[in-house]
């Protein structure tokens, strides 16, 4: 005789068997794809002579620009895995930049880091109260926080910074550096190998050299947060309960999970991570707070999270991609972007071939035509306008999201309103 099943057993999935979101790419396949993209980039470098696209300085700059984007995306991941959409990442980054610089120039950079994180957490707490306790629409709340953070920092900056040496109504006094490091021996060897301009080998040396040359301690912390987030959310009971709140909060509640508590924790942590991204901008990237410093990186971080399919590894790749395209503005932008037109044309042709193999002939034809147009643009010009270089990060954001939209699987209860006991 079998034991009777309860309504919970029949209607609600257990936390251990919560549905997975999205199709995962295995690590061997992912590494093969990355190696293939790097090899194609190396071919383009040899054809065009644009050695700057994979040199150590370019990669080091790309890493520095990717960190705040990655931290913002990581913040979005924590919130949305618990079922709360966080459009307010930009505002929480702004709070991080202001609070970090304000505390940093007075009491030192590490104090600035802690206070900046606290400023981001404050924005996260406000978002949590409004969306979780009062059930306000998540998008409306996020937009309001962005506006509120911008207005608050504009009001506070003249009060806090004017009258101090180097300070003004829109800029803080300088903040001392957190310090940088390079790995002795390895950094120089990789730089020398990159200067040889060999096929593939020099490109790998440039990529690795950017990771070990002139790296900030805060960069090291930010990179470590990627695997730490994966381990906490996917390998601990705490993470399982938190993710269950984003998949099926009613089932989680029926199994004894305090859904409100986990949602609050997730959104506050989300704000803290976005605040840390803001601190990076005002202490590491620039040693001072400057109005408008975030430049939409909170939104790009959100795009990186979506591109990564709400997974830390994919998010890191997306942040690296957007950081790399952003770095083209700073180092030989026009020549490098022009060379990347050829790379884009080759990738589109490869995509067309893949679609033909999958018997999607109409999509393949469209992709091939677009690839031919991009190649014609490359062949018919020697450089691209500076406006195109400046717009490249945002264009890449839109293109990547459009191409990856078919495989995205957000948490099932993401953005949905929840009331305690609503499943009874």
């Amino acid at each position: 005789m079998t034991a009777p099943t309860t309504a919970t057993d029949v209607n609600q999935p257990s936390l251990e068997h919560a549905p997975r979101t999205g199709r995962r790419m295995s690590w061997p396949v992912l590494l093969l794809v990355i190696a293939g993209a790097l090899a194609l980039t190396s071919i383009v470098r040899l054809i065009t002579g644009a050695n700057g696209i994979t040199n150590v300085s370019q990669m080091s700059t790309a890493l520095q620009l990717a960190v705040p984007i990655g931290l913002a995306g990581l913040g979005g991941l924590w919130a949305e895995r618990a079922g709360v959409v966080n459009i307010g990442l930009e505002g929480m980054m702004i709070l991080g930049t202001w609070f970090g610089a304000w505390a940093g120039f007075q009491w030192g950079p590490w104090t600035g880091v802690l206070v900046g994180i606290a400023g981001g957490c404050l924005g996260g707490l406000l978002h949590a109260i409004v969306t979780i306790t009062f059930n306000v629409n998540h998008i409306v709340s996020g937009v309001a926080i962005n506006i509120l953070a911008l207005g608050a920092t504009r009001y506070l900056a003249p009060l806090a910074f004017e009258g101090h040496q180097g300070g003004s109504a829109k800029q803080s006094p300088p903040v001392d550096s957190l310090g940088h490091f390079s790995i002795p021996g390895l950094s120089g060897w990789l730089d020398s190998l990159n200067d040889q301009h060999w096929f593939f080998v020099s490109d790998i040396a440039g990529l690795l050299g950017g990771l070990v040359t002139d790296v900030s301690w805060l960069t090291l912390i930010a990179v470590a947060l990627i695997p730490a987030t994966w381990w906490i959310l996917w390998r601990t009971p705490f993470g399982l309960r938190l993710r269950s709140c984003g998949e099926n909060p009613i089932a989680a509640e029926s199994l004894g999970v305090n859904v409100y508590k986990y949602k609050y924790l997730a959104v506050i942590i989300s704000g803290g991570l976005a605040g840390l991204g803001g601190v990076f901008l005002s202490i590491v990237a620039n040693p001072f707070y400057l109005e408008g410093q975030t430049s939409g990186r909170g939104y790009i971080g959100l795009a990186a999270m979506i591109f990564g399919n709400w997974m830390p590894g994919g998010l890191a790749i997306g942040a690296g991609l957007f950081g790399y395209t952003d770095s083209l503005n700073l180092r030989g932008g026009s020549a490098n972007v022009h060379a990347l037109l050829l790379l884009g044309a080759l990738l589109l042709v490869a995509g067309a071939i893949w679609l033909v193999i999958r018997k999607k002939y109409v999509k393949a034809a469209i992709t091939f035509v677009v690839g031919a147009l991009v190649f014609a643009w490359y062949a018919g010009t020697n450089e691209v306008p500076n406006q195109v270089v400046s717009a490249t990060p945002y264009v890449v954001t839109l293109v990547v999201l459009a191409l990856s939209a078919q495989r995205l699987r957000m948490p099932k209860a993401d953005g949905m309103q929840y009331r305690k006991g609503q499943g009874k």
Side-chain angles (χ1 to χ4, degrees), residues 98 148-160 169 289 291:
W98 191 90
L148 180 63
L150 182 60
T153 53
R154 280 183 176 175
Y155 172 76
L156 293 172
L159 300 177
Y289 162 81
E291 186 178 302

Side-chain angles (χ1 to χ4, degrees), residues 172-185:
S172 74
V175 182
D176 292 337
S177 173
L178 290 169
H180 295 75
F181 71 93
S182 299
I183 298 180

Side-chain angles (χ1 to χ4, degrees), residues 61-397:
T61 303
L63 176 62
Q64 181 171 294
L65 293 170
V67 167
I69 294 172
L71 286 170
L74 208 58
L77 185 146
W78 273 85
E80 299 208 10
R81 278 294 175 179
V84 180
V85 174
N86 192 356
I87 298 293
L89 291 169
E90 178 77 5
M92 295 168 198
M93 286 190 78
I94 292 172
L95 292 174
T97 61
W98 191 90
F99 279 100
W102 170 72
F105 88 88
Q106 298 182 87
W107 303 299
W110 286 109
T111 302
V113 171
L114 296 177
V115 175
I117 292 172
C121 288
L122 182 63
L125 176 62
L126 178 60
H127 187 51
I129 292 172
V130 171
T131 57
I132 300 169
T133 301
F134 294 102
N135 265 340
V136 173
N137 181 277
H138 298 189
I139 306 298
V140 172
S141 173
V143 172
I145 286 174
N146 291 338
I147 297 171
L148 180 63
L150 182 60
T153 53
R154 280 183 176 175
Y155 172 76
L156 293 172
L159 300 177
F161 301 143
E162 283 186 336
H164 295 275
Q165 185 176 3
S168 68
K170 295 186 177 182
Q171 180 178 316
S172 74
V175 182
D176 292 337
S177 173
L178 290 169
H180 295 75
F181 71 93
S182 299
I183 298 180
L186 180 60
S187 175
W189 177 69
L190 289 171
D191 195 13
S192 299
L193 192 59
N194 179 246
D195 287 339
Q196 300 300 318
H197 305 312
W198 294 333
F199 170 72
F200 194 65
V201 175
S202 291
D203 301 286
I204 293 179
L207 177 61
L208 297 178
L211 301 178
V212 299
T213 303
D214 201 25
V215 179
S216 166
W217 292 106
L218 199 56
T219 299
L220 192 63
I221 293 171
V223 172
L225 285 171
I226 299 293
T229 292
W230 173 83
W231 184 80
I232 292 170
L233 292 183
W234 275 269
R235 288 295 181 270
T236 66
F238 170 84
L240 177 63
R241 296 186 186 102
L242 187 147
R243 287 186 294 116
S244 72
C245 297
E247 294 292 342
N248 194 332
I250 298 174
E253 181 188 336
S254 71
L255 295 172
V257 175
N258 187 334
V259 176
Y260 277 7
K261 181 182 79 172
Y262 281 93
K263 283 180 177 286
Y264 260 89
L265 284 172
V267 179
I268 292 172
I269 291 171
S270 171
L273 289 168
L276 183 58
V279 168
F280 188 93
L281 291 173
S282 62
I283 294 182
V284 178
N286 297 297
F288 49 80
Y289 162 81
L290 185 65
E291 186 178 302
Q293 191 164 29
T294 55
S295 300
R297 286 180 175 85
Y299 301 112
I300 298 179
L302 197 64
M305 178 206 68
I306 296 171
F307 165 79
N309 210 10
W310 289 264
M311 295 293 294
L315 181 156
I317 294 173
L321 175 63
F322 301 139
Y324 176 77
T325 55
D326 201 10
S327 71
L328 297 175
N329 286 321
L330 303 179
R331 296 188 177 274
S334 181
N336 290 340
V337 171
H338 184 259
L340 292 178
L341 288 176
L342 178 58
L343 176 62
L346 293 175
L347 288 173
L348 286 167
V349 171
I353 294 172
W354 173 248
L355 289 170
V356 168
I357 293 173
R358 299 185 65 185
K359 298 182 179 180
K360 296 182 178 180
Y361 300 114
V362 175
K363 292 182 178 180
I366 295 172
T367 304
F368 182 81
V369 169
V370 173
L373 291 174
V374 172
F375 179 78
W377 184 7
Y378 165 77
T381 59
N382 294 321
E383 60 180 18
V384 295
N386 289 330
Q387 294 86 345
V388 174
V389 178
S390 300
T392 297
Y394 308 101
V395 172
V396 168
T397 300

Side-chain angles (χ1 to χ4, degrees), residues 13-14 17-21 247 412:
S14 70
H17 297 89
R20 296 183 182 271
T21 56
E247 294 292 342
K412 287 190 174 180

